[in-house]
């Protein structure tokens, strides 16, 4: 099956009624917020998205995404390659509508004024959430040095008299 470019926006309710499936790619250039947090992105994001109605008649957007990115290790400041792979499930709601009726197994995605959702933004959000908060190499592979990270010498502080010493004397006198 040939990989196609995933559409940017579409109507999730109509797509769920037709049970549409997309197996394709999203180019990294189309994910500007993700590009701000990565050093380098390799290839493209592989995405598979399926629209369906569940047993309760709720429109559902299910998907799987895979991407290879390079970020900075927060321990050694060297490049760190990450293979991100994730699954997601959303249920679309209209602007200002309540999501209380939705099962907790679905995340909520709000449709725009035209009743569409932005698939690229949805994939970008999921990829950004998949990046660790503090990305680091495994300790055995990290080039972090155990040498002290301070420069120069720290002068010892002079012993200053305790300002509460007088209170101890007043307590003894009473």
């Amino acid at each position: 099956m040939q990989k196609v470019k995933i559409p940017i926006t579409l109507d999730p309710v109509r797509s769920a009624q037709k049970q549409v499936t997309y197996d394709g790619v999203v180019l990294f250039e189309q994910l500007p917020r993700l590009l701000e947090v990565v050093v380098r992105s390799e290839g493209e994001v592989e995405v598979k998205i399926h629209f369906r109605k569940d047993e309760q008649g709720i429109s559902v957007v299910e998907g799987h995404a895979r991407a290879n990115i390079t970020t900075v290790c927060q321990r050694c400041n060297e490049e760190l390659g990450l293979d991100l792979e994730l699954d997601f499930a959303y249920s679309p709601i209209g602007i200002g509508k309540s999501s209380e009726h939705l099962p907790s197994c679905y995340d909520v995605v709000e449709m725009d004024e035209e009743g569409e959702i932005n698939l690229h933004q949805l994939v970008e959000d999921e990829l950004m959430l998949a990046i660790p908060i503090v990305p680091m190499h495994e300790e055995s592979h990290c080039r972090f040095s155990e040498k002290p990270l301070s420069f120069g010498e720290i002068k010892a502080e002079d012993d200053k008299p305790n300002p509460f010493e007088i209170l101890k004397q007043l307590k003894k006198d009473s």
Side-chain angles (χ1 to χ4, degrees), residues 5-53:
K5 289 186 179 178
I6 300 293
I8 298 173
T9 62
L10 56 76
D11 183 340
V13 177
R14 191 175 313 138
S15 297
Q17 289 170 345
K18 295 179 182 178
Q19 295 196 2
V20 175
T21 298
Y22 291 101
D23 189 2
V25 295
V26 175
L27 302 176
F28 279 107
E29 297 83 43
Q30 296 170 324
L31 309 174
R33 292 179 297 137
L34 182 65
L35 288 176
E36 289 178 11
V37 297
V38 300
V39 174
R40 186 173 58 248
S41 51
E42 300 167 14
E44 51 212 9
V45 181
E46 296 176 27
V47 180
K48 184 171 185 171
I49 296 179
H50 178 68
F51 295 86
R52 67 177 178 87
K53 293 274 188 182

Side-chain angles (χ1 to χ4, degrees), residues 28-84:
F28 279 107
E29 297 83 43
Q30 296 170 324
L31 309 174
R33 292 179 297 137
L34 182 65
L35 288 176
E36 289 178 11
V37 297
V38 300
V39 174
R40 186 173 58 248
S41 51
E42 300 167 14
E44 51 212 9
V45 181
E46 296 176 27
V47 180
K48 184 171 185 171
I49 296 179
H50 178 68
F51 295 86
R52 67 177 178 87
K53 293 274 188 182
D54 71 358
E55 297 81 26
Q56 299 174 346
I58 298 172
S59 298
V60 178
V61 180
E62 294 177 321
H64 179 82
R66 182 184 358 217
N68 297 322
I69 62 165
T70 303
T71 186
V72 176
C73 173
Q74 297 299 305
R75 190 179 354 220
C76 67
N77 271 350
E78 296 287 326
E79 289 187 356
L80 168 66
L82 293 175
D83 294 326
L84 304 177

Side-chain angles (χ1 to χ4, degrees), residues 25-147:
V25 295
V26 175
L27 302 176
F28 279 107
E29 297 83 43
Q30 296 170 324
L31 309 174
R33 292 179 297 137
L34 182 65
L35 288 176
E36 289 178 11
V37 297
V38 300
V39 174
R40 186 173 58 248
S41 51
E42 300 167 14
E44 51 212 9
V45 181
E46 296 176 27
V47 180
K48 184 171 185 171
I49 296 179
H50 178 68
F51 295 86
R52 67 177 178 87
K53 293 274 188 182
D54 71 358
E55 297 81 26
Q56 299 174 346
I58 298 172
S59 298
V60 178
V61 180
E62 294 177 321
H64 179 82
R66 182 184 358 217
N68 297 322
I69 62 165
T70 303
T71 186
V72 176
C73 173
Q74 297 299 305
R75 190 179 354 220
C76 67
N77 271 350
E78 296 287 326
E79 289 187 356
L80 168 66
L82 293 175
D83 294 326
L84 304 177
E85 191 162 345
L86 52 109
D87 294 312
F88 53 87
Y90 284 91
S91 183
I93 62 168
I95 297 175
K97 302 284 183 181
S98 173
S99 62
E100 293 175 3
H101 67 285
L102 295 176
S104 61
C105 60
Y106 303 134
D107 289 325
V108 177
V109 61
E110 194 172 272
M111 295 185 286
D112 62 12
E113 301 83 29
E114 288 87 33
E116 295 183 336
I117 59 171
N118 187 324
L119 291 177
H120 289 192
Q121 189 175 12
L122 196 89
V123 169
E124 184 177 37
D125 290 344
E126 287 293 328
L127 288 171
M128 290 181 70
L129 289 171
I131 298 173
I133 293 173
V134 182
M136 292 186 288
H137 291 107
E138 292 181 26
E139 278 192 53
S140 59
H141 296 96
C142 197
R143 295 189 179 152
F144 176 71
S145 171
E146 292 296 327
K147 295 177 187 174

